[in-house]
Amino acid sequence: MSQQTHPPRWAAALLQWLVDDALHTPRGDFEEYFHEIAREGGVPRARWWYRAQVVRMVPGRLVAKLIWNLLMLKNHLLLAYRNLRKNKVAAAINVFGLSFAIGCTLVAYLYVQSMINNEASHENGDTIFLVQQQVREQGEQKEVGYTPIPMGPTLAAEFPQVVGAVRLKNGGGTVVQDGNEFHESIRFVDPGFLQMFTFPLQYGDPEQALTQPNTVVLSEGAAAKYFGEENPLGQTLLLKLAEAEAVPFTVTGVAAAYNPRTSLWFSVLLPFEHRPSPSDTDWSETTTATFIQVSSPRSLADVSTQMAPYVQLQNEAAGEEAPVVEQFTFGNLYELARHSDEVESTIAGHIPWAPVITLSVMALFLLVLSCVNYMNIALAAATRRLKEIGIRKVVGSNRGQLVVQFLTENVVLCVFALGVGFGVAYLFLVPAFTDIAGGAVNLWDTPLVALAVFLGCLLVGVGLFSGAYPALYISSFQPISILSNTQKLGRRNVFMQSLLTVQFVLAFITMIVCLGLVFNAQDEQSRDWGYNQAHTLVMQLPNPAMYDVMRNEVAQLPNITAVSGAQEHIGRSHTWIEPVIAGESMWARTFGVDAAYLETLGLRLKEGRFFDAEQVSIAADEVVINETFAQRQGWTEPLGQTLRIDSTTYAVIGVMEDFHYDGFTDDIAPVVFQLADVASHTFLALRVEAGAGTQTAEAVAAIGARLMPDETDWYFFQDTVFDGYFQETQGITDIFLFIAVLALLISCMGLFGLASQNTASRLKEVSIRKVLGATVAHVAALMNRRYALLLLLAAVLATPLSYLLLNALLDSIYVYRMGIGAGPFLLAYLLVFLTGLLTISTQLRFLALANPADLLRNE
Amino acid sequence: MRMKLLSRPEEFVLLAVWRLQERAYSLPIRKQLTESTGYAWSLGSVYTPLERLEKKGLLTSWFTEATAARGGRPKRIYKLTPKGRQALLHTRRVEEAMWLGITGLALEG
């Protein structure tokens, strides 16, 4: 019974919330009256009465509460404004730190968004799915991104839910223009491609563009390359596909600029029927990708549950040898990149996780750092406000009100910092970052709702994280101990000391990691490329005919020690081949060169020999490989081993030391050097005597100006081939340097704030010490010993943590990286200690100049 | 001219407090008023005059110890101040003076 004789719980709770008077009468009366009604009319009636009574009170009490809260808010805002104005230095330090941290976080957010949502520009993405196959090969289950050729049309015909299907096949071809040949990547697509995916056309009609055979759609870049600025619609492009003969294609569309991060990027689009192996019904034939568009995201389930017949069809057609398809799966377009690591041979682009993670982590560190900094300064500044807090408590404000007051001050500051941070990001950080990242991606092209939610969360998160502890701590003091001057704040507070330590640990880690990345970039500049890149002038000629002419011309030049021709050239171009060794195929890069290439480029032979210039005809079935190739094959005696490329068998006659052809971020692939026919040479490399480089370049330029006046940028020094890579690295280095400097600034400003608050609160002590004969140095040492110890502790803690983080980062970004030395660590310590000293020395000046008599007289 | 007369609810509340003596807190006051006047007085309509009368100095109040029937909360007992008694008596005198000699009111109607 007793369970039912109390008033309804929720109504009682509501009443308590509505009527928060300290006098309790209404709540007591309600309860007593409840029991009275229960006695007379029964419990249910009493409960009903109680509920009705409480509910009826709601509107009036709510209005009253609201008015009170607004009045209090106005009061809090006014107080916040006055307090911030009174403490300008602390407020400025906090706003600076927080706003730059927020700005960096915003940039990181925008960058991560643009990297993760690389398909956001496709409007119908939520209904577009890539058909994938789950296959079992030699007992191993995996998912692959390619699909049987008939899959797309079959699905479109059989399922009413499928409103469109587009197949896509990657291929290549050669554009023939004015006697020159340009290799182009080509995507063969079904006519619905331009409707399913959002690629606005600059010229042409997306519905008609690819419906007829022998039509072509170009990207903006390809159109500019072949037709200049004019509108190329209706013009003809000569293309060599599988056939030897060039076929004319009519330009029916030119795409406007699009987000280059989409996995559906293209430079040349051709109708699907022009693909190399045109069979439309063979289930054992596959195509690069098949996309279907369904009527609504939910109707996909209707399709995916009825795929069993096609699994059977596919497995029967493919025969015994092929991997067994277990089922077909569907990947949403928007999600593709996020899962591209799990799917083999998928068209989906990869998310560059290394920079995404690094940047996010660094931005988070900076944010936490500035929040901790805020906490430290807020706590230290509270020493000046102890009296205020004591008096407030004495005249009746309760702890909750004080907490609300301090939090309001904090939120005002955070809103301000958010505003400044947004401004900094908009005006300075985002443009700078976009510039560094290559400028192709517009970071502001992001869903605005998500951005607003992110900023809101950032505000609440930063506000609570930085403000909650100071507000709770400061409001907890007893007025009696404050007003009788016995409250000691912070001097022995372990938490405050730990906060300062944490702040400097974060600052050290941020700086060491950033400096480490900078050191690595420096290290790359001086790293051995595996060959002698100096004193080598390389010409990239428009065609083999010009190569012949040029070779004869340069033979007349003085100061040249070696001349070599090549079809592919290290650092500029290469071709992938699929050599077969003992029945197993592998992928390798190939460079077609002549016999003098080894000597001209200064490549290093590990064993065996390079091609013999005297015996060119015999050498045609010989190859030279790199160390990686030999290791990949497990060859301990690589010389004399054989491999088959297309139908020819080659013998390995030499092994080269590994060399870098693309920068240091990726593994060195297996490399095969083959002798290339002189008729295909377009690269001409000259080894020049030291000191004769400029002179030779001028002579070569003069020859070029005479023979081919229209060509530009056709010769370069070999040691400039990594310039693009280094430029990119330099950009990343700049970002990290900026973050490191910011971390240093925020922490040292925090230190300055703390030290000056500390001095201010100990002025009397210092003055008495000076009167009694203490020297400035002595006093300074006394005041700052604590900070020095904390800095030292922070350095000790940060060292192993930074080492681990830096190591992990370098590993995840670079395959070829520096070993971590003492450099970044020492530099970070030195910078922090020097700026720390500098910060503290501003106090020394004050201590030295202040007259103790003035400071002591104020009471 | 400014009359220092009590309003009717105030007068009734004061009378109820006087009648109830040391049992005079919100609930019995409400009950007394309801029984005597024949109208249903809500709790809220008792709080308001009680509060106003205390502010004017016609009533004082104190808390008793907490009771279980009130969910562990105390009662607030009201008592007339001398000023309150004066005001009540004054109102009664004025009222009686006004009624003096009036007859036949019930007969005509």
Side-chain angles (χ1 to χ4, degrees):
Chain A
M1 276 314 280
S2 70
Q3 219 182 6
Q4 289 167 0
T5 52
H6 60 75
R9 278 176 213 281
W10 64 265
L14 184 59
L15 183 69
Q16 182 171 355
W17 182 70
L18 287 172
V19 188
D20 51 7
D21 64 355
L23 303 179
H24 301 305
T25 40
R27 278 157 59 200
D29 289 344
F30 268 60
E31 182 134 357
E32 190 180 337
Y33 198 36
F34 168 82
H35 290 300
E36 201 177 307
I37 299 176
R39 259 196 315 281
E40 286 166 10
V43 174
R45 200 172 143 208
R47 289 171 74 88
W48 186 85
W49 169 84
Y50 194 99
R51 272 182 220 120
Q53 203 68 16
V54 173
V55 167
R56 227 180 298 162
M57 286 171 66
V58 169
R61 297 296 311 174
L62 268 187
V63 169
K65 263 178 122 56
L66 193 70
I67 290 171
W68 267 111
N69 282 337
L70 283 176
L71 284 174
M72 284 312 285
L73 183 68
K74 194 183 144 209
N75 182 39
H76 287 323
L77 285 177
L78 186 67
L79 277 171
Y81 170 68
R82 285 182 185 157
N83 272 318
L84 293 177
R85 214 179 48 174
K86 213 165 77 185
N87 237 331
K88 284 200 198 76
V89 176
I93 291 175
N94 279 330
V95 168
F96 173 84
L98 277 178
S99 54
F100 268 84
I102 286 173
C104 289
T105 315
L106 189 61
V107 172
Y109 167 83
L110 292 173
Y111 173 72
V112 170
Q113 277 285 322
S114 78
M115 287 300 128
I116 288 181
N117 298 326
N118 58 332
E119 312 288 2
S121 59
H122 299 296
E123 284 160 17
N124 303 322
D126 56 338
T127 54
I128 301 174
F129 293 85
L130 174 69
V131 185
Q132 300 162 150
Q133 314 183 83
Q134 190 180 306
V135 299
R136 185 171 286 281
E137 190 172 18
Q138 294 163 351
E140 224 175 302
Q141 196 186 52
K142 60 182 183 184
E143 219 165 348
V144 295
Y146 50 81
T147 16
I149 287 233
M151 176 62 83
T154 310
L155 290 182
E158 303 272 318
F159 292 98
Q161 295 91 336
V162 177
V163 295
V166 166
R167 290 168 297 177
L168 189 150
K169 190 162 179 76
N170 285 347
T174 311
V175 174
V176 183
Q177 198 179 40
D178 307 331
N180 295 334
E181 299 194 338
F182 302 92
H183 186 81
E184 281 285 355
S185 298
I186 293 175
R187 286 193 151 162
F188 302 93
V189 296
D190 276 328
F193 182 85
L194 291 170
Q195 282 112 283
M196 182 183 284
F197 303 106
T198 311
F199 285 111
L201 292 191
Q202 196 179 353
Y203 304 111
D205 176 5
E207 302 202 0
Q208 298 298 322
L210 290 167
T211 46
Q212 302 299 318
N214 289 72
T215 52
V216 60
V217 170
L218 301 172
S219 70
E220 200 185 28
K225 181 173 168 188
Y226 297 116
F227 299 103
E229 292 305 304
E230 60 180 308
N231 177 354
L233 275 195
Q235 301 260 35
T236 306
L237 195 67
L238 279 175
L239 265 172
K240 263 198 234 173
L241 297 174
E243 314 85 6
E245 283 302 302
V247 182
F249 284 82
T250 312
V251 177
T252 52
V254 176
Y258 54 82
N259 179 359
R261 302 244 329 117
T262 175
S263 23
L264 297 149
W265 63 271
F266 59 87
S267 56
V268 176
L269 284 181
L270 292 185
F272 198 64
E273 63 199 69
H274 290 288
R275 71 190 183 279
S277 52
S279 150
D280 249 347
T281 50
D282 186 353
W283 280 79
S284 66
E285 257 327 288
T286 61
T287 184
T288 311
T290 301
F291 286 94
I292 58 166
Q293 186 174 358
V294 289
S295 46
S296 81
R298 263 181 297 167
S299 54
L300 177 77
D302 304 336
V303 180
S304 61
T305 48
Q306 295 178 47
M307 294 297 291
Y310 307 106
V311 173
Q312 201 187 347
L313 205 55
Q314 158 78 0
N315 283 332
E316 279 168 10
E320 295 288 308
E321 305 266 310
V324 179
V325 175
E326 296 189 328
Q327 62 173 8
F328 290 104
T329 59
F330 298 86
N332 183 261
L333 181 65
Y334 289 150
E335 311 279 327
L336 281 186
R338 251 165 278 177
H339 301 296
S340 62
D341 290 339
E342 301 151 27
V343 184
E344 241 176 63
S345 311
T346 177
I347 190 172
H350 288 263
I351 296 173
W353 288 113
V356 162
I357 292 171
T358 317
L359 206 63
S360 311
V361 167
M362 289 296 128
L364 190 70
F365 268 31
L366 214 53
L367 199 62
V368 173
L369 181 72
S370 60
C371 284
V372 174
N373 188 39
Y374 176 88
M375 276 197 245
N376 280 328
I377 292 189
L379 287 172
T383 45
R384 292 188 178 173
R385 297 179 64 182
L386 279 180
K387 287 244 158 61
E388 177 200 335
I389 297 158
I391 290 186
R392 273 181 192 286
K393 282 201 153 181
V394 168
V395 299
S397 78
N398 60 26
R399 194 171 169 190
Q401 282 167 323
L402 279 175
V403 169
V404 170
Q405 188 200 321
F406 281 111
L407 277 181
T408 314
E409 276 175 33
N410 183 36
V411 166
V412 167
L413 198 102
C414 286
V415 169
F416 193 60
L418 192 75
V420 175
F422 196 86
V424 166
Y426 186 81
L427 292 174
F428 169 58
L429 295 178
V430 170
F433 186 84
T434 311
D435 224 29
I436 286 166
V441 181
N442 176 14
L443 289 182
W444 291 108
D445 189 11
T446 184
L448 286 180
V449 178
L451 181 65
V453 169
F454 173 76
L455 286 178
C457 291
L458 200 62
L459 181 66
V460 172
V462 169
L464 280 185
F465 179 55
S466 61
Y469 179 74
L472 287 174
Y473 179 64
I474 296 167
S475 62
S476 70
F477 298 140
Q478 292 306 312
I480 187 80
S481 61
I482 294 176
L483 295 176
S484 63
N485 263 335
T486 51
Q487 181 74 49
K488 289 277 174 280
L489 184 86
R491 206 82 44 97
R492 299 274 173 269
N493 185 328
V494 177
F495 187 79
M496 268 180 78
Q497 314 254 16
S498 334
L499 273 186
L500 192 64
T501 316
V502 166
Q503 179 179 342
F504 273 96
V505 168
L506 284 179
F508 272 127
I509 294 180
T510 314
M511 289 182 64
I512 292 171
V513 168
C514 293
L515 287 175
L517 293 169
V518 174
F519 269 65
N520 186 60
Q522 285 295 321
D523 183 62
E524 284 184 346
Q525 302 269 5
S526 59
R527 209 171 285 174
D528 180 19
W529 296 2
Y531 60 96
N532 187 358
Q533 71 270 24
H535 312 306
T536 309
L537 185 75
V538 182
M539 285 160 260
Q540 183 169 12
L541 300 159
N543 50 54
M546 186 54 80
Y547 169 86
D548 285 340
V549 177
M550 192 54 97
R551 182 158 186 144
N552 289 332
E553 290 280 343
V554 299
Q556 319 296 326
L557 293 176
N559 300 328
I560 290 170
T561 52
V563 181
S564 168
Q567 188 178 350
E568 288 95 3
H569 178 67
I570 296 172
R572 273 300 155 102
S573 66
H574 63 265
T575 307
W576 284 102
I577 51 167
E578 205 177 353
V580 179
I581 296 140
E584 297 270 337
S585 75
M586 69 185 290
W587 285 100
R589 285 184 175 216
T590 183
F591 293 93
V593 298
D594 71 6
Y597 200 70
L598 174 88
E599 186 199 343
T600 313
L601 268 288
L603 287 156
R604 295 190 282 264
L605 204 55
K606 190 162 170 268
E607 55 184 310
R609 61 177 177 85
F610 205 66
F611 305 111
D612 193 342
E614 309 296 318
Q615 302 175 329
V616 170
S617 55
I618 304 169
D621 52 7
E622 293 172 343
V623 290
V624 175
I625 58 175
N626 69 347
E627 271 181 276
T628 303
F629 194 113
Q631 276 162 16
R632 207 61 78 79
Q633 284 300 325
W635 286 341
T636 46
E637 296 279 334
L639 298 183
Q641 301 276 7
T642 58
L643 50 98
R644 194 159 53 80
I645 303 168
D646 295 332
S647 53
T648 318
T649 303
Y650 295 84
V652 176
I653 55 161
V655 180
M656 315 287 282
E657 279 181 24
D658 276 338
F659 58 92
H660 293 280
Y661 43 78
D662 252 1
F664 304 105
T665 49
D666 293 313
D667 275 314
I668 290 177
V671 169
V672 175
F673 282 96
Q674 292 172 271
L675 267 187
D677 185 5
V678 178
S680 67
H681 287 185
T682 50
F683 286 98
L684 182 56
L686 309 179
R687 174 151 292 271
V688 186
E689 270 173 29
T694 325
Q695 189 193 332
T696 312
E698 275 166 11
V700 164
I703 299 170
R706 175 161 49 83
L707 294 178
M708 37 181 202
D710 294 339
E711 291 290 320
T712 51
D713 295 331
W714 53 273
Y715 67 94
F716 55 91
F717 283 99
Q718 181 67 17
D719 47 14
T720 63
V721 292
F722 280 181
D723 279 5
Y725 172 79
F726 284 136
Q727 243 162 37
E728 205 174 290
T729 317
Q730 186 58 43
I732 297 167
T733 309
D734 287 348
I735 295 174
F736 285 118
L737 262 182
F738 176 73
I739 294 178
V741 169
L742 208 55
L744 182 68
L745 265 182
I746 294 177
S747 320
C748 283
M749 285 171 87
L751 188 66
F752 171 76
L754 275 186
S756 58
Q757 303 276 8
N758 186 30
T759 316
S761 70
R762 292 172 74 181
L763 273 184
K764 222 178 276 178
E765 178 197 336
V766 168
S767 305
I768 292 173
R769 281 179 191 278
K770 277 182 79 176
V771 169
L772 293 178
T775 61
V776 174
H778 182 86
V779 172
L782 194 79
M783 305 267 295
N784 295 312
R785 194 176 48 203
R786 192 158 56 98
Y787 296 127
L789 283 176
L790 287 184
L791 270 185
L792 216 60
L793 178 65
V796 169
L797 287 175
T799 304
L801 291 175
S802 339
Y803 181 83
L804 291 176
L805 190 62
L806 182 56
N807 213 13
L809 266 179
L810 284 176
D811 271 345
S812 70
I813 303 175
Y814 301 99
V815 172
Y816 302 93
R817 41 160 282 203
M818 63 164 191
I820 300 174
F825 293 86
L826 291 180
L827 189 57
Y829 301 147
L830 195 70
L831 279 174
V832 172
F833 281 106
L834 274 185
T835 32
L837 264 182
L838 205 69
T839 312
I840 285 167
S841 67
T842 52
Q843 272 180 50
L844 283 178
R845 202 179 121 79
F846 173 72
L847 285 176
L849 293 181
N851 182 355
D854 290 338
L855 298 174
L856 284 173
R857 211 167 43 188
N858 68 356
E859 258 177 42
Chain B
M1 187 211 60
R2 203 189 126 96
M3 288 196 296
K4 286 196 174 167
L5 289 176
L6 295 166
S7 74
R8 264 286 138 78
E10 285 173 346
E11 184 188 348
F12 289 173
V13 167
L14 283 180
L15 283 170
V17 170
W18 178 257
R19 194 187 288 265
L20 290 162
Q21 289 297 328
E22 64 272 13
R23 290 192 298 112
Y25 68 97
S26 47
L27 282 180
I29 294 172
R30 189 201 75 89
K31 205 170 172 192
Q32 173 69 40
L33 288 169
T34 304
E35 280 166 9
S36 304
T37 60
Y39 296 104
W41 288 58
S42 73
L43 270 170
S45 58
V46 183
Y47 291 141
T48 318
L50 277 173
E51 197 180 313
R52 201 181 305 142
L53 288 166
E54 189 166 12
K55 218 180 253 173
K56 282 183 182 171
L58 305 185
L59 283 176
T60 69
S61 70
W62 68 91
F63 289 102
T64 64
E65 72 288 359
T67 61
R70 296 172 61 81
R73 280 175 282 265
K75 290 171 188 167
R76 188 173 190 169
I77 305 283
Y78 291 89
K79 190 189 163 199
L80 262 65
T81 61
K83 203 176 158 193
R85 275 164 63 190
Q86 293 293 330
L88 209 48
L89 289 172
H90 175 67
T91 306
R92 179 172 178 183
R93 269 199 306 277
V94 172
E95 211 159 289
E96 279 171 357
M98 287 302 291
W99 279 98
L100 196 69
I102 293 199
T103 53
L105 192 65
L107 298 174
E108 290 174 20

mmCIF file of all heavy atoms in Angstrom, chain A residues 389-391 393-394 477-487:
data_model
loop_
_atom_site.group_PDB
_atom_site.id
_atom_site.type_symbol
_atom_site.label_atom_id
_atom_site.label_comp_id
_atom_site.label_asym_id
_atom_site.label_seq_id
_atom_site.Cartn_x
_atom_site.Cartn_y
_atom_site.Cartn_z
ATOM 1 N N ILE A 389 34.503 36.755 -4.292
ATOM 2 C CA ILE A 389 33.793 35.487 -4.092
ATOM 3 C C ILE A 389 33.303 35.382 -2.657
ATOM 4 O O ILE A 389 32.153 35.009 -2.391
ATOM 5 C CB ILE A 389 34.727 34.305 -4.433
ATOM 6 C CG1 ILE A 389 35.107 34.367 -5.908
ATOM 7 C CG2 ILE A 389 34.053 32.989 -4.109
ATOM 8 C CD1 ILE A 389 36.366 33.618 -6.234
ATOM 9 N N GLY A 390 34.182 35.743 -1.715
ATOM 10 C CA GLY A 390 33.802 35.668 -0.303
ATOM 11 C C GLY A 390 32.590 36.519 -0.020
ATOM 12 O O GLY A 390 31.627 36.079 0.617
ATOM 13 N N ILE A 391 32.597 37.753 -0.512
ATOM 14 C CA ILE A 391 31.496 38.667 -0.204
ATOM 15 C C ILE A 391 30.219 38.196 -0.875
ATOM 16 O O ILE A 391 29.151 38.206 -0.276
ATOM 17 C CB ILE A 391 31.881 40.094 -0.622
ATOM 18 C CG1 ILE A 391 32.973 40.552 0.341
ATOM 19 C CG2 ILE A 391 30.678 41.012 -0.591
ATOM 20 C CD1 ILE A 391 33.407 41.949 0.220
ATOM 21 N N LYS A 393 29.353 35.219 -1.423
ATOM 22 C CA LYS A 393 28.816 34.095 -0.652
ATOM 23 C C LYS A 393 28.173 34.592 0.630
ATOM 24 O O LYS A 393 27.125 34.114 1.036
ATOM 25 C CB LYS A 393 29.938 33.107 -0.328
ATOM 26 C CG LYS A 393 30.291 32.230 -1.504
ATOM 27 C CD LYS A 393 30.995 30.988 -1.049
ATOM 28 C CE LYS A 393 30.767 29.855 -2.016
ATOM 29 N NZ LYS A 393 31.424 28.627 -1.599
ATOM 30 N N VAL A 394 28.813 35.581 1.269
ATOM 31 C CA VAL A 394 28.279 36.092 2.525
ATOM 32 C C VAL A 394 26.904 36.719 2.305
ATOM 33 O O VAL A 394 25.992 36.511 3.094
ATOM 34 C CB VAL A 394 29.253 37.117 3.142
ATOM 35 C CG1 VAL A 394 28.579 37.867 4.281
ATOM 36 C CG2 VAL A 394 30.484 36.411 3.643
ATOM 37 N N PHE A 477 35.338 27.682 -2.226
ATOM 38 C CA PHE A 477 35.997 28.218 -1.027
ATOM 39 C C PHE A 477 34.980 28.645 0.014
ATOM 40 O O PHE A 477 33.895 29.117 -0.299
ATOM 41 C CB PHE A 477 36.857 29.434 -1.387
ATOM 42 C CG PHE A 477 37.957 29.087 -2.331
ATOM 43 C CD1 PHE A 477 38.306 29.932 -3.364
ATOM 44 C CD2 PHE A 477 38.649 27.892 -2.183
ATOM 45 C CE1 PHE A 477 39.303 29.593 -4.239
ATOM 46 C CE2 PHE A 477 39.656 27.567 -3.057
ATOM 47 C CZ PHE A 477 39.982 28.414 -4.084
ATOM 48 N N GLN A 478 35.369 28.534 1.272
ATOM 49 C CA GLN A 478 34.518 28.995 2.352
ATOM 50 C C GLN A 478 34.759 30.479 2.569
ATOM 51 O O GLN A 478 35.910 30.917 2.674
ATOM 52 C CB GLN A 478 34.841 28.232 3.644
ATOM 53 C CG GLN A 478 34.464 26.761 3.591
ATOM 54 C CD GLN A 478 33.015 26.561 3.197
ATOM 55 O OE1 GLN A 478 32.127 27.227 3.755
ATOM 56 N NE2 GLN A 478 32.765 25.698 2.234
ATOM 57 N N PRO A 479 33.691 31.262 2.651
ATOM 58 C CA PRO A 479 33.863 32.705 2.802
ATOM 59 C C PRO A 479 34.696 33.058 4.036
ATOM 60 O O PRO A 479 35.505 33.978 3.993
ATOM 61 C CB PRO A 479 32.438 33.235 2.941
ATOM 62 C CG PRO A 479 31.545 32.062 2.990
ATOM 63 C CD PRO A 479 32.286 30.881 2.518
ATOM 64 N N ILE A 480 34.527 32.273 5.101
ATOM 65 C CA ILE A 480 35.226 32.631 6.335
ATOM 66 C C ILE A 480 36.738 32.585 6.139
ATOM 67 O O ILE A 480 37.468 33.467 6.574
ATOM 68 C CB ILE A 480 34.769 31.709 7.491
ATOM 69 C CG1 ILE A 480 35.359 32.162 8.822
ATOM 70 C CG2 ILE A 480 35.127 30.268 7.262
ATOM 71 C CD1 ILE A 480 34.611 33.300 9.408
ATOM 72 N N SER A 481 37.212 31.563 5.389
ATOM 73 C CA SER A 481 38.660 31.461 5.216
ATOM 74 C C SER A 481 39.164 32.487 4.201
ATOM 75 O O SER A 481 40.298 32.932 4.275
ATOM 76 C CB SER A 481 39.045 30.045 4.793
ATOM 77 O OG SER A 481 38.428 29.739 3.569
ATOM 78 N N ILE A 482 38.304 32.857 3.250
ATOM 79 C CA ILE A 482 38.730 33.885 2.300
ATOM 80 C C ILE A 482 38.872 35.222 3.014
ATOM 81 O O ILE A 482 39.903 35.892 2.933
ATOM 82 C CB ILE A 482 37.702 34.052 1.160
ATOM 83 C CG1 ILE A 482 37.636 32.799 0.312
ATOM 84 C CG2 ILE A 482 38.052 35.254 0.313
ATOM 85 C CD1 ILE A 482 36.581 32.866 -0.757
ATOM 86 N N LEU A 483 37.825 35.584 3.762
ATOM 87 C CA LEU A 483 37.792 36.936 4.327
ATOM 88 C C LEU A 483 38.740 37.078 5.505
ATOM 89 O O LEU A 483 39.159 38.179 5.835
ATOM 90 C CB LEU A 483 36.351 37.286 4.736
ATOM 91 C CG LEU A 483 35.418 37.356 3.535
ATOM 92 C CD1 LEU A 483 33.990 37.602 3.966
ATOM 93 C CD2 LEU A 483 35.861 38.464 2.578
ATOM 94 N N SER A 484 39.108 35.966 6.138
ATOM 95 C CA SER A 484 40.077 36.099 7.221
ATOM 96 C C SER A 484 41.491 35.906 6.679
ATOM 97 O O SER A 484 42.434 35.736 7.431
ATOM 98 C CB SER A 484 39.785 35.073 8.305
ATOM 99 O OG SER A 484 39.951 33.777 7.770
ATOM 100 N N ASN A 485 41.600 35.915 5.302
ATOM 101 C CA ASN A 485 42.914 35.866 4.664
ATOM 102 C C ASN A 485 43.697 34.599 4.934
ATOM 103 O O ASN A 485 44.922 34.601 4.899
ATOM 104 C CB ASN A 485 43.762 37.064 5.122
ATOM 105 C CG ASN A 485 43.664 38.164 4.098
ATOM 106 O OD1 ASN A 485 43.403 37.890 2.933
ATOM 107 N ND2 ASN A 485 43.846 39.399 4.527
ATOM 108 N N THR A 486 43.012 33.525 5.235
ATOM 109 C CA THR A 486 43.761 32.292 5.454
ATOM 110 C C THR A 486 43.702 31.378 4.238
ATOM 111 O O THR A 486 44.359 30.354 4.199
ATOM 112 C CB THR A 486 43.207 31.505 6.659
ATOM 113 O OG1 THR A 486 41.799 31.365 6.476
ATOM 114 C CG2 THR A 486 43.511 32.197 7.950
ATOM 115 N N GLN A 487 42.897 31.766 3.219
ATOM 116 C CA GLN A 487 42.800 30.919 2.027
ATOM 117 C C GLN A 487 44.076 31.038 1.194
ATOM 118 O O GLN A 487 44.442 32.123 0.776
ATOM 119 C CB GLN A 487 41.603 31.344 1.175
ATOM 120 C CG GLN A 487 41.423 30.513 -0.057
ATOM 121 C CD GLN A 487 40.879 29.132 0.269
ATOM 122 O OE1 GLN A 487 39.915 28.992 0.995
ATOM 123 N NE2 GLN A 487 41.528 28.115 -0.254
#
